[in-house]
Coordinates of all heavy atoms in Angstrom, one line a residue:
M1 N 183.2 -9.2 -3.0 CA 183.7 -9.0 -1.6 C 184.3 -7.7 -1.5 O 185.1 -7.3 -2.4 CB 184.7 -10.2 -1.3 CG 185.0 -10.2 0.2 SD 185.9 -11.7 0.6 CE 187.6 -11.1 0.4
R2 N 184.1 -7.0 -0.5 CA 184.7 -5.7 -0.3 C 186.1 -5.8 0.2 O 186.4 -6.7 1.1 CB 183.9 -4.9 0.8 CG 183.1 -3.9 0.2 CD 182.5 -3.0 1.3 NE 182.0 -1.8 0.8 CZ 181.3 -0.9 1.5 NH1 181.1 -1.1 2.7 NH2 180.9 0.2 0.9
T3 N 187.0 -5.0 -0.3 CA 188.4 -5.0 0.2 C 188.6 -3.7 1.0 O 188.0 -2.7 0.7 CB 189.4 -5.1 -0.9 OG1 189.2 -4.1 -1.8 CG2 189.3 -6.4 -1.6
K4 N 189.5 -3.8 2.0 CA 189.8 -2.6 2.8 C 190.7 -1.7 2.0 O 191.6 -2.1 1.3 CB 190.6 -3.1 4.1 CG 189.8 -3.9 5.0 CD 190.8 -4.4 6.1 CE 190.2 -5.5 7.0 NZ 191.1 -6.1 7.9
A5 N 190.5 -0.4 2.2 CA 191.4 0.6 1.5 C 192.7 0.7 2.3 O 192.7 0.8 3.5 CB 190.7 1.9 1.5
I6 N 193.8 0.5 1.6 CA 195.1 0.6 2.3 C 195.6 2.0 2.2 O 195.6 2.7 1.2 CB 196.1 -0.3 1.5 CG1 195.6 -1.8 1.5 CG2 197.5 -0.3 2.2 CD1 195.4 -2.4 2.8
A7 N 196.0 2.5 3.4 CA 196.4 3.9 3.5 C 197.9 4.0 3.4 O 198.6 3.3 4.2 CB 195.9 4.5 4.8
P8 N 198.4 4.9 2.5 CA 199.8 5.1 2.5 C 200.3 5.7 3.8 O 199.5 6.4 4.5 CB 200.1 6.1 1.4 CG 198.7 6.7 1.2 CD 197.7 5.7 1.6
I9 N 201.5 5.4 4.2 CA 202.0 6.0 5.5 C 202.7 7.3 5.3 O 203.6 7.4 4.5 CB 202.9 5.0 6.2 CG1 202.1 3.8 6.6 CG2 203.6 5.6 7.4 CD1 202.9 2.8 7.4
L10 N 202.1 8.3 5.9 CA 202.7 9.6 5.8 C 202.9 10.1 7.3 O 202.2 9.6 8.2 CB 201.8 10.6 5.1 CG 201.4 10.2 3.7 CD1 200.2 11.0 3.1 CD2 202.6 10.3 2.8
A11 N 203.8 11.0 7.5 CA 204.0 11.5 8.8 C 202.7 12.0 9.4 O 202.5 11.8 10.6 CB 205.1 12.6 8.8
D12 N 201.9 12.6 8.6 CA 200.6 13.2 9.1 C 199.7 12.1 9.6 O 199.1 12.2 10.7 CB 199.9 14.0 8.1 CG 200.6 15.3 7.9 OD1 201.4 15.7 8.7 OD2 200.2 16.0 6.9
N13 N 199.5 11.0 8.9 CA 198.5 10.0 9.3 C 199.1 9.0 10.3 O 198.3 8.3 10.9 CB 197.8 9.4 8.1 CG 198.7 8.5 7.3 OD1 199.8 8.2 7.6 ND2 198.2 8.1 6.1
L14 N 200.4 9.0 10.4 CA 201.0 8.0 11.4 C 200.6 8.5 12.8 O 200.7 7.7 13.8 CB 202.5 7.9 11.3 CG 203.1 6.7 12.0 CD1 202.6 5.4 11.4 CD2 204.6 6.8 12.0
A15 N 200.2 9.7 13.0 CA 199.7 10.1 14.3 C 198.5 9.3 14.7 O 198.2 9.2 15.9 CB 199.4 11.6 14.2
G16 N 197.9 8.7 13.8 CA 196.7 7.9 14.1 C 197.1 6.4 14.5 O 196.2 5.6 14.8
C17 N 198.4 6.1 14.5 CA 198.8 4.8 14.9 C 198.4 4.6 16.4 O 198.7 5.4 17.3 CB 200.3 4.7 14.8 SG 201.0 3.2 15.6
E18 N 197.8 3.4 16.7 CA 197.3 3.1 18.0 C 198.3 2.5 18.9 O 198.0 2.2 20.1 CB 196.1 2.2 17.9 CG 194.9 2.9 17.1 CD 193.7 1.9 16.9 OE1 193.8 0.8 17.3 OE2 192.8 2.3 16.3
R19 N 199.5 2.3 18.4 CA 200.6 1.6 19.1 C 200.1 0.3 19.7 O 200.5 -0.2 20.8 CB 201.1 2.5 20.3 CG 201.5 3.9 19.9 CD 202.9 3.9 19.3 NE 203.4 5.3 19.1 CZ 203.2 6.1 18.0 NH1 202.5 5.6 17.0 NH2 203.7 7.3 17.9
C20 N 199.3 -0.4 18.9 CA 198.7 -1.7 19.4 C 199.7 -2.8 19.2 O 199.5 -3.9 19.8 CB 197.4 -2.0 18.6 SG 197.7 -2.2 16.9
Q21 N 200.7 -2.6 18.4 CA 201.7 -3.7 18.1 C 201.2 -4.9 17.4 O 201.9 -5.9 17.3 CB 202.4 -4.1 19.4 CG 203.2 -3.0 20.1 CD 204.5 -2.7 19.6 OE1 205.1 -3.5 18.8 NE2 205.1 -1.6 20.0
K22 N 200.0 -4.8 16.8 CA 199.5 -6.0 16.1 C 200.3 -6.2 14.8 O 200.4 -7.4 14.4 CB 198.0 -5.7 15.7 CG 197.1 -5.8 16.9 CD 195.6 -5.5 16.4 CE 194.7 -5.6 17.7 NZ 193.3 -5.1 17.3
C23 N 200.9 -5.2 14.3 CA 201.7 -5.4 13.1 C 203.0 -6.2 13.5 O 203.3 -7.2 12.8 CB 202.1 -4.0 12.5 SG 202.8 -2.8 13.7
A24 N 203.7 -5.7 14.5 CA 204.9 -6.4 14.9 C 204.7 -7.8 15.4 O 205.5 -8.7 15.2 CB 205.6 -5.5 16.0
A25 N 203.6 -8.0 16.1 CA 203.3 -9.4 16.6 C 203.1 -10.4 15.5 O 203.4 -11.6 15.7 CB 202.0 -9.3 17.4
Q26 N 202.8 -9.9 14.3 CA 202.6 -10.9 13.1 C 203.9 -11.0 12.3 O 203.9 -11.8 11.3 CB 201.5 -10.4 12.3 CG 200.1 -10.2 13.0 CD 199.6 -11.5 13.5 OE1 199.8 -12.6 12.9 NE2 198.9 -11.5 14.6
C27 N 204.9 -10.2 12.6 CA 206.0 -10.1 11.6 C 207.0 -11.3 11.8 O 207.6 -11.4 12.8 CB 206.7 -8.8 11.9 SG 208.2 -8.6 10.8
P28 N 207.1 -12.1 10.7 CA 208.1 -13.2 10.8 C 209.6 -12.7 10.8 O 210.4 -13.5 11.2 CB 207.8 -14.0 9.5 CG 207.2 -13.0 8.6 CD 206.4 -12.1 9.4
G29 N 209.8 -11.5 10.5 CA 211.1 -10.9 10.5 C 211.5 -10.3 11.8 O 212.6 -9.8 12.0
H30 N 210.5 -10.3 12.8 CA 210.7 -9.8 14.1 C 211.1 -8.3 14.1 O 212.0 -7.9 14.8 CB 211.7 -10.6 14.9 CG 211.4 -12.1 15.0 ND1 210.3 -12.5 15.7 CD2 211.9 -13.2 14.4 CE1 210.2 -13.9 15.5 NE2 211.2 -14.2 14.7
I31 N 210.5 -7.6 13.2 CA 210.8 -6.2 13.0 C 210.0 -5.3 14.0 O 208.8 -5.6 14.1 CB 210.5 -5.7 11.5 CG1 211.4 -6.6 10.6 CG2 210.8 -4.3 11.4 CD1 211.1 -6.4 9.1
N32 N 210.6 -4.4 14.7 CA 209.9 -3.5 15.6 C 209.2 -2.4 14.7 O 209.8 -1.3 14.4 CB 210.9 -2.8 16.6 CG 210.1 -1.9 17.5 OD1 209.0 -1.5 17.3 ND2 210.8 -1.6 18.6
I33 N 208.1 -2.8 14.1 CA 207.5 -2.0 13.1 C 207.1 -0.6 13.5 O 207.5 0.4 12.8 CB 206.3 -2.7 12.5 CG1 206.8 -4.0 11.7 CG2 205.5 -1.8 11.5 CD1 205.8 -4.9 11.2
P34 N 206.5 -0.4 14.7 CA 206.2 1.0 15.1 C 207.4 1.9 15.1 O 207.4 3.0 14.7 CB 205.5 0.9 16.4 CG 204.9 -0.5 16.4 CD 205.8 -1.3 15.6
A35 N 208.5 1.3 15.6 CA 209.8 2.1 15.7 C 210.3 2.4 14.3 O 210.7 3.5 14.0 CB 210.8 1.3 16.5
M36 N 210.2 1.5 13.4 CA 210.6 1.7 12.0 C 209.7 2.7 11.3 O 210.2 3.5 10.5 CB 210.6 0.3 11.2 CG 211.6 -0.7 11.8 SD 213.3 0.0 11.8 CE 214.1 -1.1 13.0
L37 N 208.5 2.7 11.6 CA 207.6 3.7 11.0 C 207.9 5.1 11.4 O 207.8 6.0 10.7 CB 206.1 3.3 11.2 CG 205.6 2.0 10.7 CD1 204.1 1.8 11.0 CD2 205.9 1.9 9.2
A38 N 208.3 5.2 12.7 CA 208.7 6.5 13.2 C 209.9 7.0 12.4 O 210.0 8.2 12.0 CB 209.0 6.4 14.7
I39 N 210.9 6.1 12.2 CA 212.1 6.4 11.4 C 211.7 6.8 10.0 O 212.2 7.8 9.4 CB 213.1 5.3 11.4 CG1 213.7 5.1 12.8 CG2 214.2 5.5 10.4 CD1 214.6 3.9 13.0
F40 N 210.8 6.0 9.4 CA 210.3 6.3 8.0 C 209.8 7.7 7.9 O 210.0 8.4 6.9 CB 209.2 5.3 7.7 CG 208.6 5.4 6.3 CD1 209.3 5.0 5.2 CD2 207.4 6.0 6.1 CE1 208.8 5.1 3.9 CE2 206.8 6.1 4.9 CZ 207.5 5.6 3.8
C41 N 209.0 8.1 8.9 CA 208.4 9.5 8.9 C 209.5 10.6 9.1 O 209.4 11.6 8.5 CB 207.3 9.6 9.9 SG 205.8 8.6 9.4
Q42 N 210.5 10.3 9.9 CA 211.5 11.2 10.1 C 212.3 11.4 8.7 O 212.6 12.6 8.4 CB 212.5 10.7 11.1 CG 212.1 11.0 12.5 CD 213.2 10.5 13.5 OE1 213.1 9.4 13.9 NE2 214.2 11.3 13.8
C43 N 212.5 10.4 8.0 CA 213.1 10.5 6.7 C 212.2 11.3 5.7 O 212.8 12.1 4.9 CB 213.4 9.1 6.1 SG 214.6 8.2 7.0
Q44 N 210.9 11.0 5.8 CA 210.0 11.8 4.9 C 210.1 13.3 5.2 O 210.0 14.1 4.3 CB 208.6 11.3 5.1 CG 208.2 10.1 4.4 CD 206.7 9.8 4.5 OE1 206.1 10.2 5.4 NE2 206.2 9.2 3.5
N45 N 210.4 13.6 6.4 CA 210.6 15.0 6.8 C 212.0 15.5 6.6 O 212.3 16.6 7.0 CB 210.2 15.2 8.3 CG 208.7 15.0 8.5 OD1 207.9 15.3 7.6 ND2 208.3 14.6 9.6
G46 N 212.8 14.7 5.9 CA 214.1 15.2 5.5 C 215.3 14.9 6.5 O 216.4 15.3 6.2
D47 N 215.0 14.2 7.5 CA 216.0 13.8 8.5 C 216.6 12.4 8.2 O 216.2 11.4 8.7 CB 215.5 13.9 9.9 CG 216.5 13.5 11.0 OD1 217.7 13.4 10.6 OD2 216.1 13.3 12.1
R48 N 217.6 12.4 7.3 CA 218.2 11.1 6.9 C 219.1 10.5 8.0 O 219.5 9.4 7.9 CB 218.9 11.2 5.6 CG 217.9 11.6 4.4 CD 218.5 11.4 3.1 NE 218.9 10.1 2.7 CZ 218.0 9.1 2.3 NH1 216.8 9.4 2.2 NH2 218.5 8.0 2.0
S49 N 219.4 11.3 9.0 CA 220.3 10.8 10.1 C 219.4 9.7 10.8 O 220.0 8.9 11.6 CB 220.7 11.9 11.0 OG 219.6 12.4 11.7
A50 N 218.1 9.8 10.7 CA 217.3 8.8 11.4 C 217.6 7.4 10.9 O 217.2 6.4 11.6 CB 215.8 9.1 11.1
L51 N 218.2 7.2 9.7 CA 218.5 5.9 9.2 C 219.7 5.2 9.9 O 219.8 4.0 9.8 CB 218.8 6.0 7.7 CG 217.7 6.4 6.8 CD1 218.3 6.7 5.4 CD2 216.7 5.3 6.7
L52 N 220.5 6.0 10.6 CA 221.7 5.5 11.2 C 221.5 4.2 12.1 O 222.2 3.3 11.9 CB 222.4 6.6 12.0 CG 223.1 7.7 11.1 CD1 223.6 8.8 12.0 CD2 224.1 7.1 10.2
P53 N 220.5 4.2 12.9 CA 220.3 3.0 13.8 C 219.9 1.7 13.0 O 220.0 0.6 13.6 CB 219.1 3.4 14.7 CG 219.0 4.9 14.6 CD 219.5 5.2 13.3
I54 N 219.5 1.9 11.8 CA 219.1 0.7 11.0 C 220.1 0.3 9.9 O 219.8 -0.4 9.0 CB 217.7 0.8 10.4 CG1 217.6 2.0 9.5 CG2 216.7 0.9 11.6 CD1 216.3 2.0 8.7
K55 N 221.4 0.8 10.1 CA 222.4 0.5 9.1 C 223.4 -0.6 9.5 O 224.4 -0.9 8.8 CB 223.1 1.8 8.7 CG 222.1 2.7 7.9 CD 222.7 4.0 7.7 CE 223.9 4.0 6.7 NZ 223.5 3.5 5.4
D56 N 223.2 -1.1 10.7 CA 224.1 -2.2 11.2 C 223.4 -3.5 10.7 O 222.6 -4.1 11.4 CB 224.2 -2.1 12.7 CG 225.1 -3.2 13.2 OD1 225.5 -4.1 12.4 OD2 225.4 -3.3 14.4
F57 N 223.9 -4.0 9.5 CA 223.2 -5.1 8.9 C 223.5 -6.4 9.6 O 223.1 -7.5 9.2 CB 223.5 -5.1 7.4 CG 223.0 -3.9 6.7 CD1 223.8 -3.2 5.9 CD2 221.7 -3.5 6.9 CE1 223.3 -2.1 5.2 CE2 221.2 -2.4 6.2 CZ 222.0 -1.7 5.4
N58 N 224.4 -6.4 10.6 CA 224.6 -7.6 11.4 C 223.5 -7.8 12.4 O 223.4 -8.9 13.0 CB 226.0 -7.5 12.2 CG 227.1 -7.6 11.2 OD1 227.1 -8.4 10.2 ND2 228.1 -6.7 11.4
K59 N 222.7 -6.8 12.7 CA 221.6 -6.9 13.6 C 220.4 -7.6 12.9 O 220.3 -7.7 11.7 CB 221.1 -5.6 14.1 CG 222.1 -4.9 15.0 CD 221.5 -3.6 15.5 CE 222.4 -2.8 16.4 NZ 221.9 -1.4 16.7
H60 N 219.5 -8.1 13.7 CA 218.3 -8.7 13.2 C 217.1 -7.8 13.4 O 217.2 -6.9 14.3 CB 218.1 -10.1 13.8 CG 219.2 -11.1 13.5 ND1 219.4 -11.6 12.2 CD2 220.2 -11.6 14.3 CE1 220.4 -12.4 12.2 NE2 220.9 -12.4 13.5
G61 N 216.0 -8.1 12.8 CA 214.8 -7.3 13.0 C 214.9 -5.9 12.3 O 214.2 -5.0 12.8
L62 N 215.6 -5.8 11.2 CA 215.7 -4.6 10.5 C 214.9 -4.7 9.2 O 214.4 -5.7 8.8 CB 217.2 -4.3 10.1 CG 218.2 -4.1 11.3 CD1 219.6 -4.0 10.8 CD2 217.7 -2.9 12.1
P63 N 214.6 -3.5 8.6 CA 213.8 -3.5 7.4 C 214.3 -4.5 6.3 O 213.4 -5.1 5.6 CB 213.9 -2.1 6.9 CG 214.0 -1.3 8.2 CD 214.9 -2.1 9.0
I64 N 215.6 -4.7 6.2 CA 216.1 -5.7 5.2 C 215.7 -7.1 5.5 O 215.8 -8.0 4.7 CB 217.6 -5.6 5.0 CG1 218.3 -5.9 6.3 CG2 218.0 -4.3 4.4 CD1 219.8 -6.1 6.1
D65 N 215.1 -7.4 6.7 CA 214.7 -8.7 7.0 C 213.2 -9.0 6.6 O 212.7 -10.1 6.7 CB 214.7 -9.0 8.6 CG 216.2 -9.0 9.0 OD1 217.0 -9.6 8.4 OD2 216.5 -8.3 10.1
C66 N 212.6 -7.9 6.0 CA 211.2 -8.0 5.6 C 211.1 -9.0 4.4 O 211.9 -8.9 3.4 CB 210.7 -6.6 5.2 SG 209.1 -6.7 4.4
I67 N 210.2 -9.9 4.4 CA 210.0 -10.9 3.3 C 208.7 -10.5 2.5 O 208.3 -11.2 1.7 CB 209.9 -12.3 3.8 CG1 208.7 -12.5 4.8 CG2 211.2 -12.7 4.5 CD1 208.4 -14.0 5.1
E68 N 208.2 -9.3 2.8 CA 207.0 -8.7 2.1 C 205.8 -9.6 2.1 O 205.1 -9.8 1.2 CB 207.4 -8.4 0.6 CG 208.6 -7.4 0.6 CD 208.9 -7.0 -0.9 OE1 207.9 -6.7 -1.6 OE2 210.1 -6.8 -1.2
C69 N 205.6 -10.3 3.3 CA 204.5 -11.2 3.4 C 203.1 -10.4 3.5 O 202.1 -11.0 3.2 CB 204.6 -12.1 4.6 SG 204.6 -11.2 6.2
G70 N 203.2 -9.2 4.0 CA 201.9 -8.4 4.1 C 201.1 -8.6 5.4 O 200.0 -8.0 5.5
A71 N 201.6 -9.5 6.3 CA 200.8 -9.7 7.5 C 200.6 -8.5 8.3 O 199.6 -8.3 9.0 CB 201.6 -10.8 8.3
C72 N 201.6 -7.6 8.3 CA 201.5 -6.4 9.1 C 200.3 -5.5 8.6 O 199.5 -5.1 9.4 CB 202.8 -5.6 9.0 SG 203.5 -5.4 7.3
T73 N 200.3 -5.3 7.3 CA 199.2 -4.5 6.8 C 197.9 -5.1 7.0 O 196.9 -4.5 7.3 CB 199.5 -4.3 5.2 OG1 200.7 -3.6 5.1 CG2 198.4 -3.5 4.6
A74 N 197.8 -6.5 6.9 CA 196.5 -7.2 7.0 C 196.0 -7.0 8.4 O 194.8 -7.1 8.6 CB 196.7 -8.7 6.7
H75 N 196.8 -6.9 9.4 CA 196.4 -6.9 10.8 C 196.3 -5.5 11.4 O 195.9 -5.3 12.5 CB 197.3 -7.7 11.7 CG 197.1 -9.2 11.4 ND1 197.7 -9.9 10.4 CD2 196.3 -10.1 12.0 CE1 197.3 -11.1 10.4 NE2 196.4 -11.3 11.4
C76 N 196.7 -4.5 10.7 CA 196.7 -3.1 11.2 C 195.3 -2.5 11.2 O 194.6 -2.5 10.1 CB 197.6 -2.2 10.3 SG 197.5 -0.5 10.8
P77 N 194.8 -2.1 12.4 CA 193.4 -1.6 12.4 C 193.2 -0.3 11.6 O 192.1 0.1 11.3 CB 193.2 -1.4 13.9 CG 194.5 -1.3 14.5 CD 195.4 -2.2 13.7
K78 N 194.4 0.4 11.3 CA 194.3 1.6 10.6 C 194.5 1.4 9.1 O 194.5 2.3 8.3 CB 195.4 2.6 11.1 CG 195.1 3.1 12.5 CD 193.9 3.9 12.6 CE 193.7 4.5 13.9 NZ 192.5 5.4 14.0
H79 N 194.8 0.1 8.7 CA 195.0 -0.3 7.3 C 196.2 0.5 6.7 O 196.1 0.8 5.5 CB 193.7 -0.1 6.5 CG 192.5 -0.6 7.1 ND1 192.4 -1.9 7.6 CD2 191.3 -0.1 7.4 CE1 191.2 -2.1 8.2 NE2 190.6 -1.0 8.1
F80 N 197.2 0.7 7.5 CA 198.4 1.4 6.9 C 199.1 0.5 6.0 O 199.2 -0.7 6.2 CB 199.3 1.8 8.0 CG 198.9 3.0 8.9 CD1 199.2 3.0 10.2 CD2 198.2 4.0 8.3 CE1 198.8 4.1 11.0 CE2 197.8 5.1 9.1 CZ 198.1 5.1 10.5
D81 N 199.7 1.0 4.9 CA 200.4 0.2 4.0 C 201.9 0.0 4.5 O 202.8 0.6 4.0 CB 200.5 0.9 2.6 CG 201.0 0.0 1.5 OD1 201.4 -1.2 1.9 OD2 201.1 0.4 0.4
I82 N 201.9 -0.8 5.6 CA 203.2 -0.9 6.3 C 204.2 -1.6 5.4 O 205.4 -1.3 5.4 CB 202.9 -1.7 7.6 CG1 201.9 -1.0 8.5 CG2 204.2 -2.0 8.3 CD1 201.4 -1.8 9.6
R83 N 203.8 -2.6 4.7 CA 204.7 -3.4 3.9 C 205.5 -2.4 2.9 O 206.7 -2.5 2.8 CB 204.0 -4.5 3.1 CG 204.9 -5.2 2.1 CD 204.3 -6.3 1.4 NE 203.0 -6.0 0.8 CZ 202.2 -6.8 0.1 NH1 202.6 -8.1 0.1 NH2 201.1 -6.5 -0.4
A84 N 204.8 -1.5 2.3 CA 205.5 -0.6 1.4 C 206.4 0.3 2.1 O 207.5 0.6 1.6 CB 204.4 0.2 0.6
A85 N 206.1 0.7 3.3 CA 206.9 1.6 4.1 C 208.2 0.9 4.5 O 209.3 1.5 4.4 CB 206.2 2.2 5.3
I86 N 208.1 -0.3 4.9 CA 209.3 -1.1 5.4 C 210.2 -1.4 4.2 O 211.4 -1.3 4.3 CB 208.8 -2.4 6.1 CG1 208.0 -2.1 7.4 CG2 210.0 -3.3 6.4 CD1 208.8 -1.3 8.4
K87 N 209.6 -1.7 3.0 CA 210.3 -2.0 1.8 C 211.1 -0.7 1.4 O 212.3 -0.8 1.1 CB 209.4 -2.4 0.7 CG 210.1 -2.8 -0.6 CD 209.1 -3.2 -1.6 CE 209.8 -3.6 -2.9 NZ 208.9 -4.0 -4.0
E88 N 210.5 0.4 1.5 CA 211.1 1.7 1.1 C 212.3 2.0 2.1 O 213.3 2.5 1.7 CB 210.1 2.8 1.1 CG 210.6 4.2 0.9 CD 211.2 4.4 -0.5 OE1 210.8 3.7 -1.4 OE2 212.1 5.3 -0.6
L89 N 212.0 1.7 3.4 CA 213.0 2.0 4.4 C 214.2 1.1 4.2 O 215.4 1.5 4.3 CB 212.4 1.8 5.8 CG 213.0 2.4 7.0 CD1 213.3 3.9 6.8 CD2 212.2 2.2 8.2
A90 N 214.0 -0.2 3.8 CA 215.1 -1.1 3.5 C 215.9 -0.6 2.3 O 217.2 -0.6 2.4 CB 214.5 -2.5 3.2
M91 N 215.3 -0.1 1.3 CA 216.0 0.4 0.1 C 216.8 1.7 0.5 O 218.0 1.8 0.1 CB 215.1 0.7 -1.0 CG 214.5 -0.5 -1.7 SD 213.7 -0.2 -3.2 CE 212.3 0.8 -2.7
Q92 N 216.2 2.5 1.3 CA 216.9 3.8 1.7 C 218.1 3.5 2.5 O 219.2 4.1 2.4 CB 216.0 4.7 2.3 CG 214.9 5.3 1.4 CD 214.2 6.5 1.9 OE1 214.7 7.2 2.8 NE2 213.0 6.8 1.4
S93 N 218.0 2.5 3.4 CA 219.1 2.2 4.4 C 220.3 1.6 3.6 O 221.4 1.8 4.0 CB 218.6 1.3 5.5 OG 218.3 0.0 5.0
M94 N 220.0 0.9 2.5 CA 221.1 0.4 1.7 C 221.8 1.4 0.8 O 222.9 1.2 0.3 CB 220.6 -0.8 0.9 CG 220.3 -2.0 1.8 SD 219.9 -3.5 0.8 CE 218.3 -3.2 0.3
Q95 N 221.0 2.5 0.5 CA 221.6 3.5 -0.4 C 222.6 4.4 0.3 O 223.4 5.1 -0.4 CB 220.5 4.3 -1.0 CG 219.7 3.6 -2.1 CD 218.4 4.4 -2.5 OE1 218.1 5.5 -1.9 NE2 217.6 3.8 -3.3
E96 N 222.5 4.6 1.6 CA 223.3 5.5 2.3 C 224.8 5.1 2.2 O 225.1 4.0 2.4 CB 222.8 5.7 3.7 CG 221.5 6.4 3.8 CD 221.7 7.9 3.5 OE1 222.4 8.6 4.2 OE2 221.0 8.4 2.6
Ligands
SF4_101 S1 205.5 -7.5 5.2 FE1 207.6 -7.4 6.1 S2 207.3 -6.0 7.9 FE2 205.3 -6.8 7.3 S3 204.9 -8.6 8.5 FE3 205.8 -9.3 6.6 S4 208.0 -9.4 7.0 FE4 207.1 -8.2 8.6
SF4_102 S1 199.1 -2.3 13.7 FE1 198.9 -0.3 12.8 S2 198.0 0.9 14.5 FE2 198.8 -0.9 15.4 S3 201.0 -0.3 16.0 FE3 201.1 -1.2 14.0 S4 201.0 0.6 12.6 FE4 200.2 1.2 14.6

């Protein structure tokens, strides 16, 4: 059986995001994934102040709510490796 190639998320290829919200619609953590991916790319470009909105751990729907189920990646028409990006974002937000 053929498997889909999973694409790492980089600021350059996120421009190909269709804003379809299929990733967020499947997320049991109710994470606004397209918004989080935008923050992820800002961080990749060196803007760590982008992490500030996701450091209020009393809120819900943040990267730390990710249970790594992979549903987002499975439903993304661009096959972005969303799970890895959200996991990385969760780790970075806790390090600040
Ligand atoms: S892997 Fe994380 S971000 Fe993706 S759907 Fe599952 S809980 Fe949501
Ligand atoms: S499923 Fe993929 S293409 Fe659609 S909004 Fe999410 S990241 Fe973008």
Side-chain angles (χ1 to χ4, degrees):
M1 190 170 93
R2 257 188 162 174
T3 55
K4 297 174 190 169
I6 303 300
I9 293 186
L10 303 168
D12 284 348
N13 65 13
L14 194 65
C17 170
E18 299 175 359
R19 307 284 190 268
C20 63
Q21 298 280 347
K22 288 179 180 171
C23 50
Q26 302 295 329
C27 179
H30 306 292
I31 299 169
N32 183 343
I33 293 172
M36 295 302 157
L37 296 183
I39 291 173
F40 180 77
C41 288
Q42 277 181 269
C43 291
Q44 278 189 331
N45 289 332
D47 180 10
R48 296 192 64 79
S49 69
L51 292 169
L52 289 175
I54 60 170
K55 292 173 66 64
D56 181 354
F57 298 130
N58 289 320
K59 288 183 182 170
H60 297 289
L62 296 177
I64 56 169
D65 295 315
C66 174
I67 60 169
E68 300 186 43
C69 67
C72 48
T73 299
H75 289 84
C76 175
K78 295 292 184 177
H79 314 308
F80 288 144
D81 192 357
I82 301 167
R83 174 173 54 182
I86 297 297
K87 183 178 178 182
E88 175 66 22
L89 203 49
M91 286 193 294
Q92 290 195 24
S93 66
M94 287 188 285
Q95 284 171 2
E96 289 287 304

